[in-house]
């Protein structure tokens, strides 16, 4: 699994999201939207948004204008989402 935290500078929830990810021991990379070209696909998310292999764990899609993600998960909710998504991806396809 590959996790990416997308944010923009000055987002009040970006540091809170990083603390949350660090508290649960998640390995992730960060991408600052301010450093991306205007047409880059990662600019189309609210800040902060956590992506797991390109799928949203928390945060949301956006029209490209900077906007904040206001509803961050608790540690328990985050772990539940990550564990569920990991379990779903480990299932063998049905014949």
């Amino acid at each position: 699994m590959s996790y990416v935290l997308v944010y923009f500078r000055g987002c009040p929830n970006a540091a809170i999201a990083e603390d949350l990810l660090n508290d649960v021991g998640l390995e992730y990379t960060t991408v600052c939207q301010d450093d991306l070209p205007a047409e880059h696909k990662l600019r189309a998310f609210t800040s902060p948004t956590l992506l797991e292999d390109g799928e949203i764990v928390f945060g949301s899609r956006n029209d490209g204008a900077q906007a904040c993600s206001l509803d961050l998960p608790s540690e328990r909710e985050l772990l539940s989402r990550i564990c569920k998504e990991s379990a779903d991806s480990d299932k063998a396809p049905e014949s």
Side-chain angles (χ1 to χ4, degrees):
M1 299 289 157
S2 171
Y3 295 96
V4 176
L5 182 67
V6 180
Y7 72 98
F8 61 80
R9 285 184 197 92
C11 172
N13 286 329
I16 296 168
E18 284 198 80
D19 288 344
L20 173 65
L21 300 179
N22 292 331
D23 288 347
V24 300
L26 192 69
E27 291 187 30
Y28 63 96
T29 58
T30 58
V31 174
C32 181
Q33 293 171 318
D34 301 313
D35 298 333
L36 301 173
E39 66 281 352
H40 196 282
K41 66 181 181 178
L42 291 179
R43 290 187 72 111
F45 293 97
T46 58
S47 173
T49 291
L50 180 65
L51 302 172
E52 178 183 21
D53 297 330
E55 299 296 319
I56 296 172
V57 176
F58 66 77
S60 61
R61 289 198 177 277
N62 192 20
D63 64 5
Q66 288 185 332
C68 287
S69 301
L70 301 177
D71 190 22
L72 298 180
S74 67
E75 282 185 28
R76 178 179 283 176
E77 290 169 330
L78 176 59
L79 289 171
S80 174
R81 291 177 193 179
I82 291 170
C83 291
K84 179 184 182 317
E85 290 173 11
S86 295
D88 287 347
S89 67
D90 290 342
K91 290 181 183 174
E94 294 182 24
S95 312

